[in-house]
Amino acid sequence: MSVHNAVSSTSLPATQPPRPRPVARKVKPQVRPIELQSSSTLSATPDNEDGDRNKNNGKGKRRASIEFFRSCKEDISKESRRSTKCSKLDLPAPVAHKHERFWILDGNTVLEVGGVLFRLHRSRLVDQSTFFAGLLNDQDVLMDDSVIVESDEHGTVYHLSNTTSTDLEALLQLDKDPMAYYFVPPAFQVLAAILRAATALGFNTYRAFAVKLLENAWSSSLTDLTAESKSNAVEVVVLARTCGIESVLKRAFYEMVRVSGYGLGDGELDSADGEEISRADERRLERMREHLISSWSQDCGAHGLCPAMCWKQDAWERRVHDSGLYDEYQFDPLCGLQALIDIKWDEEEGWCSDCVRVRREAWTRMRQKTWERIGVWMGLDMNN
């Protein structure tokens, strides 16, 4: 359906009749009332039947009446159940209510999202959003089922299903005060809401702002990786897949794979908020963990000491295996290698300085190589 047909018909040529604005209608099925039979009808029986029944059984007439009554009662009960089911399926839709802050008194464009009404300024929507520019400027663009246009007591109402009222509220709050998050970034849930709404509704400036904040928080640079794990990794993966932000996936995937259970509960690949990753990403995480375990095992298999210091091998076993360092970083070899680099092998364990320098350089190269391979294992960096 084109926006030209859905939004306005005043600009059509005089030779063509204006096309009506689509109006959603619900036709409620009529349920006929159930007519109960009177007691006289239930107990009435023909005289000839009474005679025959009394000959065989003196209580036949009464018994027949009771059976007939029970049959009618069952029919009435079934009909009542059918009527109840129909009424449940045809429950009236909840009445939309006005948003407390974004029902602007001098607004001239009404949006309905998830049962919440927003009255906003048309000029601001058109200026900031390519989506609303096409919808409200009567451009000849194709629209999907995410937009329904109706007319009611509020005038023309645009019903949107490509976003939620919570996400739209977060986006409008940013539009109201663009400097709100200049010094202090918003909480992740607020940032995710802004990003989803900005992507769906074509607020490109705010989308770029939200993407930059997300990339800063989930940097793909190895130098920004710390031993402290980050929360919301699952939500970041889902958000990145939904909004097409591949740059944060490597860090988010690594944060998931280096914690027990991928940071999820009960082994389910979804978060407490119902966010779910795809089965393809699930398999990638499993393969990635296998690669990391193998890589860490090889890194800790041989310490490469010079021959003159081989008698110090007990120090390696004590600092790496006996201390629990190997088990601690089994799923996190990048931070494990950094832990090996930070140990003062020369000062505390008496290793020669040349041997320590060579090993630290090798461990640094291993970290960079493993980080680059993660992108390949997850299908992100196909050129490496």
Side-chain angles (χ1 to χ4, degrees), residues 106-119:
D106 60 345
N108 53 9
T109 301
V110 179
L111 310 177
E112 185 275 323
V113 182
V116 181
L117 292 171
F118 300 81
R119 187 162 69 182

Side-chain angles (χ1 to χ4, degrees), residues 339-355:
L340 294 178
I341 294 173
D342 295 337
I343 294 177
K344 298 179 180 180
W345 299 101
D346 47 357
E347 298 178 6
E348 298 177 357
E349 301 300 338
W351 293 8
C352 65
S353 58
D354 290 339
C355 181

Side-chain angles (χ1 to χ4, degrees), residues 130-143:
T130 57
F131 174 84
F132 285 113
L135 179 65
L136 303 177
N137 276 347
D138 198 22
Q139 297 180 3
D140 189 15
V141 297
L142 295 177
M143 293 167 50

Side-chain angles (χ1 to χ4, degrees), residues 281-298:
D281 283 340
E282 175 186 349
R283 292 189 290 270
R284 292 188 183 101
L285 285 170
E286 293 172 350
R287 290 196 300 267
M288 177 179 171
R289 175 168 285 183
E290 293 175 358
H291 287 301
L292 292 178
I293 293 175
S294 175
S295 176
W296 180 235
S297 177
Q298 295 175 10

